Amino acid sequence: MLAVIGFHRSLTSVVAHWMHNSGVCMGDYLMPPAPSNPDGHYEDMPLVALHDDLLSQQGTTWQYRGEVSLSPDKGLEVLQRYVALRDRLHGHHWGMKDPRQCLFLPNWHQVLGERGQYLVILRHWSASIQSLLKRSAQDMALGLGATRENAAFWQDYGHAARIWIAYNEALLAFLEQCPPKQRLVVTQQAVMHGLVLPDLVEGYFAIPLQSDTVSPIKPGLVHDEVDESLHAHLTEDQVDRMEAIWDRLLSFAAHRAEHESPRWVAGSGSDRDRRLAYSILAASPYKSAPAGSEAKGKIAVTHGETAVDLSVADLAARADRAYRTLLLLDAERYTREVLYLNPCDVASHVRLACIFLVSGQLEAGESVLSSAIERLGEVPLLLHFKATVLDLRGRTGEAVALLNSASATSELLQRHRIAFMLKGGQPDGRLAFEAWARNRSNSLEAWQKTARALTGVEHPDLRKDLAFRVASVWNR
């Protein structure tokens, strides 16, 4: 069992992609691609849900900053259930990847024992934090994602550094006690500069791999530049602490580049970006009350009567809990009972399809969604999941065709249609993405999310930094 381990934005998606193509299955129900990552994250959806649940139960999220103690004994039964499921579906050699796993390595080590093989990817703290900030600012500029979650990187001074420290202290503690034969540590820079991972992994862990697999690494990703504006987010103590952790992590690296330190460069923004940034700042003055709160959306899609029988709601809750804890037979039974009582419940049709996906029955999952669409019509959520299944089954072109032909429209469908076009290499995919990004940049939602975030940023330099990042996206 091969786990690809590393902090967020550390090349783990590309490495997991490479391992998957080389013969280590990373899962049947992989997270769907996005316009910002059309090649996909190669994260098994039940694994991500499992980790999110463990974090939620302990009062935190993926933005864990060491604010609570995480128990090394939490969730062992569910982890064992996940391992048993993957063993049944994929035999002895399979893989998993989720950056949150850095926080639960002691838990996984208890479950996997000597079976666990850990391919660890290290990336310098500055580059990972820079990438996190870029992604969050872009999401706000395009009106995507949760404002509170994205804005925290600017509203809470030092937020990103605390996340990096918490994750990598946990990783370091694990490396210090993990037997050397079970861990292979390489740096992101070593991989980007030509390290052939399939050959290396096969030789080190004795995992049979297809060594002639083409690397998914894109040459344009190879750089070591970090914008000096990043310093505005960090205290000197945080920098010193991260450098100390980084040096200790590097001591475990079996393969590293000649130069691992970043090359700091001055910002390259235009005068046009600066003018727009100052206009954004003027329109979004700081308010002492926390910003970023958002109205809670409706969880269920309403069809027919708005009143829901309590027994149906209770069954649905039980089905969802059973699904998230991988009690799949119970989840299927409860879900079918909900659908018997309410055949028009979209969420239950989707859950039933997902149960089949997690179980490795992709054809059955597609059949469930096709039947639901025939019964309920072109509900965007159903179309989205059917397109996802088509992509998982290697029929990305059919996924694009389905979304192109749909009479129903939604932001979700539009975004995923473009992601599938980019993944499939369709020549007009890039043009469609640029047109979509322009429309999102000009949307009221994008402005509202940006303004809501900025009104909660007190630090002057961080206000300027966020406004400038948003402006550079809007002017692109």
Side-chain angles (χ1 to χ4, degrees):
M1 196 300 303
L2 181 69
V4 177
I5 305 296
F7 184 65
H8 301 275
R9 317 304 291 175
S10 293
L11 202 74
T12 53
S13 293
V14 174
V15 170
H17 183 179
W18 204 351
M19 293 298 101
H20 187 80
N21 288 353
S22 299
V24 179
C25 180
M26 303 304 290
D28 289 310
Y29 181 18
L30 298 175
M31 184 179 293
S36 59
N37 188 0
D39 291 330
H41 301 81
Y42 285 82
E43 296 176 9
D44 196 25
M45 291 295 280
L47 178 69
V48 175
L50 183 159
H51 287 148
D52 277 337
D53 278 353
L54 287 177
L55 290 168
S56 177
Q57 290 166 22
Q58 297 175 85
T60 186
T61 68
W62 74 267
Q63 293 186 356
Y64 175 72
R65 305 172 302 287
E67 68 275 21
V68 296
S69 295
L70 299 179
S71 170
D73 301 315
K74 189 79 171 177
L76 298 183
E77 184 179 351
V78 182
L79 269 58
Q80 290 167 345
R81 214 172 285 146
Y82 180 81
V83 172
L85 173 65
R86 295 296 306 276
D87 282 345
R88 179 171 61 81
L89 294 175
H90 306 122
H92 190 69
H93 295 298
W94 49 271
M96 56 180 169
K97 172 259 174 179
D98 176 19
R100 300 160 186 79
Q101 196 163 14
C102 290
L103 303 173
F104 299 108
L105 287 169
N107 313 57
W108 281 105
H109 196 53
Q110 287 192 67
V111 171
L112 294 170
E114 294 184 356
R115 277 193 65 191
Q117 298 171 315
Y118 305 91
L119 175 58
V120 180
I121 313 298
L122 304 178
R123 188 183 191 187
H124 193 267
W125 57 264
S126 61
S128 292
I129 292 176
Q130 175 175 256
S131 186
L132 280 174
L133 296 175
K134 179 180 178 181
R135 181 181 67 181
S136 292
Q138 179 171 285
D139 280 354
M140 280 189 284
L142 297 178
L144 303 174
T147 304
R148 176 172 293 176
E149 183 176 280
N150 287 321
F153 290 104
W154 288 267
Q155 294 178 353
D156 179 15
Y157 185 62
H159 185 76
R162 284 191 287 276
I163 297 174
W164 191 93
I165 289 169
Y167 272 72
N168 285 278
E169 282 187 337
L171 174 57
L172 183 60
F174 175 74
L175 292 176
E176 289 173 339
Q177 60 85 38
C178 180
K181 67 178 182 180
Q182 289 185 252
R183 55 169 166 79
L184 174 60
V185 184
V186 302
T187 68
Q188 180 249 15
Q189 286 293 322
V191 176
M192 298 298 282
H193 286 86
L195 191 64
V196 183
L197 279 178
D199 290 347
L200 183 64
V201 170
E202 182 174 34
Y204 195 86
F205 291 132
I207 299 175
L209 295 177
Q210 301 169 19
S211 59
D212 58 348
T213 306
V214 177
S215 168
I217 295 175
K218 298 176 181 177
L221 295 176
V222 182
H223 68 85
D224 58 357
E225 295 181 353
V226 177
D227 198 304
E228 291 176 348
S229 64
L230 184 66
H231 287 301
H233 290 261
L234 312 169
T235 67
E236 290 185 10
D237 287 344
Q238 286 178 329
V239 171
D240 291 344
R241 189 173 174 186
M242 288 189 289
E243 277 296 311
I245 295 171
W246 173 249
D247 288 341
R248 291 172 65 191
L249 288 170
L250 277 183
S251 70
F252 289 93
H255 297 271
R256 52 186 291 183
E258 182 179 357
H259 301 290
E260 287 290 346
S261 297
R263 186 160 52 91
W264 294 91
V265 297
S268 57
S270 66
D271 290 339
R272 182 166 172 251
D273 291 342
R274 292 186 181 87
R275 287 194 297 270
L276 178 56
Y278 284 118
S279 297
I280 295 171
L281 286 169
S284 309
Y286 169 66
K287 298 178 182 178
S288 57
S293 59
E294 296 183 275
K296 294 182 179 179
K298 294 181 179 179
I299 296 174
V301 178
T302 303
H303 288 273
E305 296 296 324
T306 56
V308 180
D309 188 280
L310 287 179
S311 63
V312 174
D314 181 62
L315 284 170
R318 292 186 182 192
D320 187 62
R321 182 60 189 164
Y323 169 69
R324 295 182 71 85
T325 55
L326 297 177
L327 295 169
L328 299 181
L329 292 177
D330 289 344
E332 181 179 352
R333 175 166 58 86
Y334 289 134
T335 300
R336 290 191 183 280
E337 289 179 9
V338 172
L339 289 173
Y340 176 78
L341 295 171
N342 182 9
C344 295
D345 187 73
V346 172
S348 292
H349 284 290
V350 169
R351 187 188 307 107
L352 182 59
C354 289
I355 291 168
F356 286 126
L357 299 184
V358 173
S359 302
Q361 303 176 62
L362 273 63
E363 184 176 356
E366 181 183 345
S367 177
V368 167
L369 293 165
S370 296
S371 298
I373 292 170
E374 184 176 349
R375 172 190 284 267
L376 304 177
E378 293 186 335
V379 179
L381 191 64
L382 295 174
L383 292 171
H384 159 68
F385 274 92
K386 182 172 181 180
T388 297
V389 177
L390 291 172
D391 175 61
L392 288 171
R393 301 190 69 191
R395 294 151 57 192
T396 305
E398 289 184 44
V400 174
L402 173 69
L403 299 180
N404 280 337
S405 64
S407 58
T409 59
S410 74
E411 169 56 31
L412 176 68
L413 296 185
Q414 187 178 17
R415 187 164 70 247
H416 284 274
R417 178 181 67 86
I418 292 168
F420 291 134
M421 291 173 69
L422 292 170
K423 180 179 180 179
Q426 295 194 9
D428 52 349
R430 177 53 54 181
L431 293 176
F433 170 75
E434 292 172 355
W436 169 80
R438 281 194 300 271
N439 288 334
R440 293 300 306 170
S441 297
N442 292 326
S443 68
L444 176 62
E445 188 176 8
W447 168 252
Q448 288 174 332
K449 285 181 179 288
T450 299
R452 197 178 297 136
L454 274 168
T455 55
V457 182
E458 181 177 10
H459 194 289
D461 289 340
L462 295 187
R463 283 177 55 78
K464 292 177 184 177
D465 179 76
L466 177 55
F468 183 79
R469 290 174 185 272
V470 170
S472 66
V473 175
W474 285 355
N475 279 336
R476 192 169 57 198

